[in-house]
Amino acid sequence: MVSKAARQRKLLKDRKYPDEDFNMGMYHREAAEAVSQYLASDQLSTDGIDNQIAIIAQQAPTSVGTQRRLNANIEAMERFLSMLDDFDFKSAEPSLGEHSPPKLTYHGVEISVRPEIILRGTVKGKPVIGCVKLHFPKGFCMTEETAGFVSAAVQEYCRRHIATSEEAVYPAYCQVFDVGSGQVFEGVKATKARLKDIEDTCQNIAAIWASI
């Protein structure tokens, strides 16, 4: 969404011809599971995260790549522990998101939103819902702009796939936790223009995909 044309083509090429030895979605698997479990719990104890760190630290992988991945997971969990005072679920009830949820689709291009945490609550007597998205990579830090696109996509995902007919999507619940940089981004209220930008980008992807 925010890259220049040459970078966009590189990103798309990497997706079309992925490196079999590198799965971005699984790179921070241990950290994502531990953090998600903590956020969906009563958040009174970090024992689950501490135990996961200890388990990983005791492993002795034979490849350099696996060692780097495990170290990245430990670093991610330690950074999250330093963020505990920075997020607020605003009295919402958290639960874990689906492991294999439906996707958003524009012009035949599928977007994997996959929010880790679902939040449900009540605002002014009405039921509301939202989702939290976690971001772990240190190599690409979120900005207000990029996190805004993510929040908008999460809200659209909620509208299409999670919210009941009685529930309204609540922007304040649709936060982005950039664990890689230790930042929490509030959910955005204005989504119409952002979603149009996402749709237009998907249309461009569909048009050039065959030529990559």
Coordinates of all heavy atoms in Angstrom, one line a residue, residues 97-135:
G97 N -9.0 -15.2 17.9 CA -9.5 -15.3 16.5 C -9.3 -16.7 15.9 O -8.7 -17.5 16.5
E98 N -9.9 -16.9 14.8 CA -9.9 -18.2 14.1 C -8.5 -18.4 13.6 O -7.8 -17.5 13.2 CB -10.9 -18.2 13.0 CG -12.3 -18.1 13.4 CD -13.3 -18.3 12.2 OE1 -13.1 -19.2 11.4 OE2 -14.2 -17.4 12.0
H99 N -8.1 -19.7 13.5 CA -6.8 -20.0 12.9 C -6.9 -20.0 11.3 O -5.9 -19.7 10.7 CB -6.4 -21.5 13.3 CG -5.9 -21.5 14.7 ND1 -4.7 -20.9 15.1 CD2 -6.4 -22.0 15.9 CE1 -4.5 -21.1 16.4 NE2 -5.5 -21.8 16.9
S100 N -8.0 -20.3 10.8 CA -8.2 -20.3 9.3 C -9.4 -19.6 8.9 O -10.4 -20.1 8.5 CB -8.2 -21.7 8.8 OG -7.0 -22.4 9.1
P101 N -9.4 -18.2 9.2 CA -10.6 -17.4 8.9 C -10.8 -17.1 7.4 O -9.9 -17.3 6.6 CB -10.4 -16.2 9.7 CG -8.9 -16.0 9.6 CD -8.3 -17.4 9.7
P102 N -12.0 -16.7 7.1 CA -12.2 -16.3 5.7 C -11.4 -15.0 5.4 O -10.9 -14.4 6.3 CB -13.7 -16.0 5.6 CG -14.1 -15.7 7.1 CD -13.2 -16.6 7.9
K103 N -11.3 -14.7 4.1 CA -10.5 -13.6 3.6 C -11.3 -12.5 3.1 O -12.5 -12.7 2.7 CB -9.4 -14.1 2.6 CG -8.4 -15.1 3.2 CD -7.5 -15.5 2.1 CE -6.4 -16.4 2.6 NZ -6.9 -17.7 3.2
L104 N -10.8 -11.3 3.0 CA -11.4 -10.2 2.2 C -10.9 -10.4 0.8 O -9.8 -10.7 0.5 CB -10.9 -8.8 2.7 CG -11.3 -8.4 4.1 CD1 -10.8 -7.0 4.4 CD2 -12.9 -8.4 4.2
T105 N -11.8 -10.2 -0.2 CA -11.5 -10.3 -1.6 C -11.9 -9.1 -2.4 O -13.1 -8.7 -2.3 CB -12.2 -11.6 -2.2 OG1 -11.8 -12.7 -1.4 CG2 -11.8 -11.8 -3.6
Y106 N -11.0 -8.6 -3.1 CA -11.3 -7.5 -4.1 C -10.7 -7.8 -5.4 O -9.5 -8.2 -5.5 CB -10.6 -6.2 -3.6 CG -11.2 -5.6 -2.3 CD1 -10.5 -5.8 -1.1 CD2 -12.4 -4.9 -2.3 CE1 -11.0 -5.3 0.1 CE2 -12.9 -4.4 -1.1 CZ -12.2 -4.6 0.1 OH -12.7 -4.1 1.3
H107 N -11.5 -7.8 -6.4 CA -11.0 -8.1 -7.8 C -10.3 -9.4 -7.9 O -9.3 -9.5 -8.6 CB -10.1 -6.9 -8.3 CG -10.8 -5.6 -8.3 ND1 -11.8 -5.2 -9.3 CD2 -10.8 -4.5 -7.4 CE1 -12.2 -4.0 -9.0 NE2 -11.6 -3.6 -7.9
G108 N -10.7 -10.4 -7.2 CA -10.1 -11.7 -7.2 C -8.9 -11.8 -6.4 O -8.3 -12.9 -6.3
V109 N -8.4 -10.7 -5.7 CA -7.2 -10.8 -4.9 C -7.7 -11.0 -3.4 O -8.5 -10.2 -2.9 CB -6.4 -9.5 -5.0 CG1 -5.2 -9.5 -4.0 CG2 -6.0 -9.3 -6.4
E110 N -7.1 -12.0 -2.8 CA -7.5 -12.4 -1.4 C -6.6 -11.7 -0.4 O -5.3 -11.7 -0.6 CB -7.5 -13.9 -1.2 CG -8.5 -14.6 -2.0 CD -8.5 -16.1 -1.7 OE1 -7.4 -16.6 -1.3 OE2 -9.6 -16.8 -1.9
I111 N -7.1 -11.1 0.6 CA -6.4 -10.5 1.7 C -6.6 -11.3 2.9 O -7.7 -11.4 3.4 CB -6.8 -9.0 1.9 CG1 -6.7 -8.2 0.6 CG2 -6.0 -8.4 3.0 CD1 -7.3 -6.8 0.7
S112 N -5.5 -11.8 3.5 CA -5.5 -12.5 4.7 C -5.4 -11.5 5.9 O -4.4 -11.0 6.2 CB -4.4 -13.5 4.8 OG -4.4 -14.2 6.0
V113 N -6.6 -11.3 6.5 CA -6.6 -10.3 7.6 C -6.2 -11.1 8.9 O -5.4 -10.6 9.7 CB -8.0 -9.7 7.8 CG1 -8.0 -8.7 8.9 CG2 -8.3 -9.0 6.5
R114 N -6.9 -12.1 9.2 CA -6.6 -13.0 10.3 C -6.3 -12.3 11.7 O -5.2 -12.4 12.2 CB -5.5 -14.0 10.0 CG -5.4 -15.2 10.9 CD -4.2 -16.1 10.5 NE -4.1 -17.2 11.4 CZ -3.4 -17.2 12.5 NH1 -2.8 -16.1 12.9 NH2 -3.3 -18.2 13.3
P115 N -7.2 -11.5 12.2 CA -7.0 -10.9 13.5 C -6.8 -11.9 14.6 O -7.5 -12.9 14.6 CB -8.2 -10.0 13.7 CG -9.3 -10.7 12.9 CD -8.6 -11.3 11.7
E116 N -5.8 -11.6 15.5 CA -5.5 -12.6 16.5 C -6.5 -12.6 17.7 O -6.8 -13.6 18.3 CB -4.1 -12.3 17.1 CG -3.0 -12.8 16.2 CD -2.7 -11.8 15.0 OE1 -3.3 -10.7 15.0 OE2 -1.8 -12.2 14.2
I117 N -7.1 -11.4 18.0 CA -8.0 -11.2 19.1 C -9.3 -10.6 18.7 O -9.2 -9.6 17.9 CB -7.3 -10.3 20.2 CG1 -6.0 -11.0 20.7 CG2 -8.3 -10.1 21.4 CD1 -6.2 -12.3 21.4
I118 N -10.4 -11.1 19.1 CA -11.7 -10.5 18.9 C -12.2 -9.9 20.2 O -12.0 -10.5 21.3 CB -12.7 -11.6 18.4 CG1 -12.2 -12.2 17.1 CG2 -14.1 -11.0 18.3 CD1 -13.1 -13.4 16.7
L119 N -12.7 -8.7 20.1 CA -13.1 -8.0 21.3 C -14.6 -7.7 21.2 O -15.1 -7.2 20.1 CB -12.4 -6.6 21.4 CG -10.9 -6.7 21.7 CD1 -10.3 -5.2 21.7 CD2 -10.6 -7.4 22.9
R120 N -15.4 -8.0 22.2 CA -16.8 -7.7 22.3 C -17.1 -6.9 23.5 O -16.5 -7.2 24.6 CB -17.6 -9.0 22.2 CG -17.7 -9.6 20.8 CD -18.7 -10.8 20.8 NE -19.2 -11.1 19.5 CZ -18.6 -12.0 18.7 NH1 -17.5 -12.6 19.1 NH2 -19.0 -12.2 17.5
G121 N -18.0 -6.0 23.4 CA -18.3 -5.1 24.6 C -19.6 -4.4 24.3 O -20.4 -4.7 23.4
T122 N -19.9 -3.5 25.2 CA -21.1 -2.7 25.1 C -20.8 -1.2 25.2 O -20.0 -0.8 26.1 CB -22.1 -3.0 26.2 OG1 -22.4 -4.4 26.2 CG2 -23.4 -2.2 26.1
V123 N -21.3 -0.4 24.3 CA -21.0 1.0 24.3 C -22.4 1.7 24.2 O -23.2 1.5 23.3 CB -20.1 1.5 23.1 CG1 -20.0 3.0 23.1 CG2 -18.8 0.9 23.3
K124 N -22.7 2.6 25.2 CA -24.0 3.3 25.3 C -25.1 2.3 25.2 O -26.1 2.5 24.5 CB -24.1 4.3 24.2 CG -23.0 5.4 24.3 CD -23.2 6.5 23.2 CE -22.2 7.6 23.4 NZ -22.3 8.6 22.3
G125 N -25.0 1.1 25.8 CA -26.0 0.1 25.9 C -26.2 -0.7 24.6 O -27.1 -1.6 24.6
K126 N -25.3 -0.6 23.7 CA -25.4 -1.3 22.4 C -24.2 -2.3 22.3 O -23.1 -1.9 22.6 CB -25.5 -0.4 21.2 CG -26.8 0.5 21.2 CD -26.8 1.4 20.0 CE -28.1 2.2 20.0 NZ -28.2 3.1 18.8
P127 N -24.4 -3.5 21.8 CA -23.3 -4.4 21.6 C -22.4 -4.0 20.5 O -22.9 -3.6 19.4 CB -24.0 -5.8 21.3 CG -25.3 -5.4 20.7 CD -25.7 -4.1 21.4
V128 N -21.1 -4.1 20.7 CA -20.1 -3.7 19.7 C -19.0 -4.8 19.6 O -18.9 -5.6 20.5 CB -19.5 -2.3 20.0 CG1 -20.5 -1.2 19.9 CG2 -18.8 -2.3 21.4
I129 N -18.3 -4.7 18.5 CA -17.3 -5.7 18.3 C -16.1 -5.1 17.5 O -16.2 -4.1 16.9 CB -17.9 -6.9 17.4 CG1 -16.8 -8.1 17.3 CG2 -18.3 -6.4 16.0 CD1 -17.4 -9.3 16.6
G130 N -14.9 -5.7 17.7 CA -13.7 -5.3 17.0 C -12.7 -6.3 17.1 O -12.9 -7.4 17.7
C131 N -11.6 -6.1 16.5 CA -10.5 -7.1 16.4 C -9.1 -6.4 16.6 O -9.0 -5.3 16.1 CB -10.5 -7.9 15.1 SG -11.9 -8.9 14.9
V132 N -8.2 -7.1 17.2 CA -6.8 -6.6 17.4 C -5.9 -7.4 16.4 O -6.0 -8.6 16.3 CB -6.3 -6.8 18.8 CG1 -4.9 -6.4 18.9 CG2 -7.2 -5.9 19.7
K133 N -5.1 -6.6 15.7 CA -4.1 -7.3 14.8 C -2.7 -7.1 15.4 O -2.3 -6.0 15.8 CB -4.2 -6.7 13.4 CG -3.3 -7.3 12.4 CD -3.7 -8.8 12.2 CE -2.7 -9.5 11.4 NZ -2.9 -11.0 11.4
L134 N -1.9 -8.2 15.4 CA -0.6 -8.2 15.9 C 0.4 -8.1 14.8 O 0.2 -8.8 13.7 CB -0.3 -9.4 16.8 CG -1.2 -9.7 18.0 CD1 -0.8 -11.0 18.7 CD2 -1.1 -8.5 19.0
H135 N 1.5 -7.4 14.9 CA 2.5 -7.3 13.9 C 3.9 -7.5 14.6 O 4.2 -6.8 15.5 CB 2.5 -5.9 13.2 CG 3.5 -5.7 12.2 ND1 3.4 -6.3 10.9 CD2 4.7 -5.0 12.2 CE1 4.5 -5.9 10.2 NE2 5.2 -5.1 10.9

